Amino acid sequence: MSDSELLVEEKNIVVPGELLAKGIDFLPGYGSFKEDGEIRSKILGLVKVKEHIISVVPLSGIYIPMKGDGVIGIVSDVQISSWLVDINSPYIGFLPLSEGTEEFIDLTRSDITDYFDVGDVVYVRINKVTKRKDVQLTMKDRMCRKLYGGNIIRITPAKVPRLIGRSGSMIEMIKKKTGCHIIVGQNGLVWIKGEKETLAAKAVLMVERESHTEGLTDRISEMLDKESGKEVIE
Amino acid sequence: MSEGKIIVNGKRPDGRKLDEMREIEARAGVIPRAEGSGYFRLGNTMAVAAVYGPRELHPKHLTDPLKAYVKCRYNMAPFSTTDRVRPGPSRRSTEISKVIKEALKSVIFTEEFPKTGIEIFIEILQADASTRCVGLNAASIALADAGIPMKDLIASCSAGKVDGQIVLDVAGEEDCEGEVDLPVAYIPRKNKLYLLQMDGLITKDEIKQALNLAIKGCKLIYEKQKEALKKKYENFEVSE
């Protein structure tokens, strides 16, 4: 009926302004826009086609908070009845007292730094993001807690989905083979705690570097086996 | 030299034809600590650009609650020309920073990052005419490499009038001795100009001719920019 046409293939690398599809049968998704009936890429990334929605998966970029994301943050300031949390983004996370703890706190008597103080690392969930990008956080979630010890490494937020893998396959493998506790924040911060911290960090950084290549899971698995074997012998 | 012709038998000082570009080299991702970076070389003119952000903007009073603020700094390295360039901002570099900023601002989807600043730093390592064009090309690659949403890549090149003849990509001697220099920034698919400056005297017909020639050059550069960005990920060597 209409002369709609898809001009790219799945997983093609596209640059900003590149033509992805023509006609009314396609809709722009994340990373693409429509202009004069043509769908074009907004960013440098890989094409993803799902039914009639064409989106572009970014290869680089910063973290923009989204509702429901679990992120790792560092408390940057304590106010009278709230905390400000640095979430590795241009926007600061706001954690009000009521969302920070379920206990009753009498502000006239207690000091809220007993709960979280400046410099503490927390795993928090994003509760709300306004249109003007004001970010409200919450700790009222099964996963959310203060993180003690361990190390934090930073990766490009765009590579986080690859690090987690399909239904957590990649991260589960790294956890199993290194025996470390690993928490991945959607904002690109990765918390690692355990004996083989350096090996786990090496694997995470390798995923970041080679995220767009094929057969990565096997290579990571191989590398982890080889490296941990070496440690046993020495 | 002042009495001699620059163009002899249709050949320019560096042996090019009238409508021939200098050698083009483009690369993406040259500065690891920046969010995105680009390198662009046109003959002897080289530029590196780095993009940081979107990040919290300083000074704070520049923040816009509706869109991102684009900051741009064009700078010539002291060793970039035969005479030493005095370090620090000058009238010339402030002007060029502004025109480059205006060109880039019009292609970035600034409304996606309210209250932030996008900072672009362009460093001219070696200057041999058309530095603003080369700087803009490098900045355009750097922005795309940083994952910043853009409507398109901007390509830029210059045309000019030397010895009464219209030439593409003015270089070296032609820039000093030539009559007209006309830098142009252009997006092929929209057929729109994003930067147009000129000095010298030129007729209406000649400017049309020069503009068409510059647009032809921009199309060539646009393809090179695309290639550079794709090459960063395509020719990737995996560990062992």
Side-chain angles (χ1 to χ4, degrees), chain B residues 56-77:
Chain B
E56 220 175 297
L57 179 65
H58 293 285
K60 275 263 161 67
H61 68 86
L62 291 174
T63 47
D64 187 330
L66 298 175
K67 55 180 193 281
Y69 182 86
V70 181
K71 254 184 167 181
C72 180
R73 176 178 178 265
Y74 161 99
N75 186 46
M76 276 174 102

Side-chain angles (χ1 to χ4, degrees), chain B residues 109-181:
Chain B
F109 285 89
T110 48
E111 65 282 359
E112 286 192 18
F113 308 104
K115 294 193 271 196
T116 61
I118 298 169
E119 288 171 56
I120 305 158
F121 297 92
I122 300 164
E123 209 64 36
I124 305 295
L125 300 181
Q126 188 168 282
D128 186 20
S130 344
T131 56
R132 69 195 72 195
C133 301
V134 174
L136 186 53
N137 290 335
S140 175
I141 295 174
L143 276 171
D145 185 40
I148 290 170
M150 289 155 77
K151 292 190 185 92
D152 214 321
L153 295 170
I154 293 189
S156 171
C157 93
S158 68
K161 185 175 156 193
V162 179
D163 281 351
Q165 299 189 66
I166 303 299
V167 295
L168 177 64
D169 189 17
V170 183
E173 210 184 314
E174 302 163 356
D175 189 36
C176 314
E177 311 280 332
E179 290 135 63
V180 172
D181 184 16

